[in-house]
């Protein structure tokens, strides 16, 4: 095999990992979330723009507010997950660029002065970071249940502001009983990879 990552780690991060639909009541600690972030913050983004922002929903009151904006089929699992994260794109990420890109601080105004350009860049790069976040959750030995079935405008109004666009909601915790649906098929190498 050509991969140097330990096969058990490959299974943990990819082959055996799936979207969890049930969770135990074991809490997800702040220390675990910190460790996840401290790992995944190194994933690449264009211009190191790092536009992902995360709202952790822990309180019963916050959970109740969030569940009402979830699609019907997503409500029960969001209600029981030990931790729920709202992942959003910061459309004003460019304000951090002078600190994040110190060797090229003029990038802030040169490339990202216009809001539509920022929104496009933030959406793409925060989506990359959201994928890193899911892998980080798995690396912590937890299960992630990412979902896009929700009222985006409602979540934005309830938990964010006009400068932040919700990307997904991720339920996080130890998988519970019957947590997994059967693995769905994947495309083959030849269906995806082309050489020219």
């Amino acid at each position: 095999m050509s991969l140097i990552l330990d096969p058990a780690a490959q299974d943990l991060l990819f082959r055996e990992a799936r979207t969890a639909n049930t969770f135990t009541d074991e809490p997800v600690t702040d220390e675990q979330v910190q460790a996840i972030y401290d790992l995944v913050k190194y994933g690449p983004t264009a211009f190191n723009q790092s536009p992902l922002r995360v709202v952790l929903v822990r309180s019963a009151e916050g959970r109740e507010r969030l569940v009402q904006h979830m699609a019907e089929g997503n409500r029960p699992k969001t209600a029981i997950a030990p931790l729920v994260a709202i992942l959003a794109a910061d459309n004003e990420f460019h304000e951090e660029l002078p600190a994040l890109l110190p060797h090229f601080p003029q990038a802030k105004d040169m490339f990202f002065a216009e809001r539509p350009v920022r929104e496009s860049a933030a959406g793409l790069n925060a989506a990359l970071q959201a994928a890193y976040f899911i892998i980080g959750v798995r690396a912590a030995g937890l299960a992630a249940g990412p979902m896009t079935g929700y009222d985006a405008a409602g979540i934005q109004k309830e938990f964010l502001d006009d400068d932040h666009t919700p990307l997904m909601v991720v339920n996080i915790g130890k998988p519970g009983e019957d947590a997994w649906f059967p693995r769905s098929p994947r495309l083959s190498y030849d269906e995806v990879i082309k050489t020219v």
Side-chain angles (χ1 to χ4, degrees):
M1 182 173 282
S2 299
L3 300 177
I4 64 170
L5 186 65
D6 177 79
Q10 295 173 38
D11 288 344
L12 178 71
L13 299 178
F14 294 100
R15 284 192 290 263
E16 298 298 325
R18 296 192 222 153
T19 294
N21 295 291
T22 67
F23 299 89
T24 70
D25 59 3
E26 184 178 329
V28 176
T29 67
D30 290 335
E31 292 77 17
Q32 287 172 301
V33 176
Q34 179 78 51
I36 291 165
Y37 177 72
D38 285 342
L39 176 65
V40 304
K41 68 184 179 184
Y42 294 109
T45 57
F47 292 96
N48 198 33
Q49 57 191 249
S50 306
L52 182 70
R53 302 295 179 264
V54 181
V55 176
L56 298 177
V57 181
R58 286 196 183 277
S59 70
E61 180 266 336
R63 186 71 57 102
E64 191 174 307
R65 288 167 44 214
L66 176 59
V67 166
Q68 70 180 342
H69 296 293
M70 301 303 295
E72 189 66 37
N74 291 332
R75 289 178 181 177
K77 51 192 168 187
T78 301
I80 64 159
L83 179 64
V84 183
I86 300 169
L87 306 189
D90 181 359
N91 297 307
E92 297 298 311
F93 69 87
H94 69 307
E95 297 296 341
E96 306 293 338
L97 279 182
L100 293 172
L101 201 65
H103 63 281
F104 189 25
Q106 62 270 35
K108 173 189 175 207
D109 298 316
M110 185 179 292
F111 296 108
F112 301 110
E114 297 180 17
R115 176 70 180 238
V117 173
R118 289 197 306 275
E119 288 178 355
S120 177
L124 172 63
N125 287 280
L128 279 173
Q129 289 187 286
Y132 306 146
F133 183 84
I134 292 166
I135 299 301
V137 168
R138 293 172 175 179
L142 300 168
M147 302 168 293
T148 55
Y150 54 77
D151 171 13
I155 286 179
Q156 183 175 32
K157 182 178 180 182
E158 191 82 32
F159 294 95
L160 304 167
D161 58 34
D162 291 341
D163 290 331
H164 294 81
T165 304
L167 298 173
M168 67 182 67
V169 173
V170 183
N171 296 326
I172 303 169
K174 292 283 187 182
E177 192 173 331
D178 298 321
W180 320 116
F181 293 142
R183 166 123 13 234
S184 296
R186 297 297 192 265
L187 296 174
S188 72
Y189 177 90
D190 292 332
E191 291 174 302
V192 175
I193 308 296
K194 304 294 180 199
T195 303
V196 295

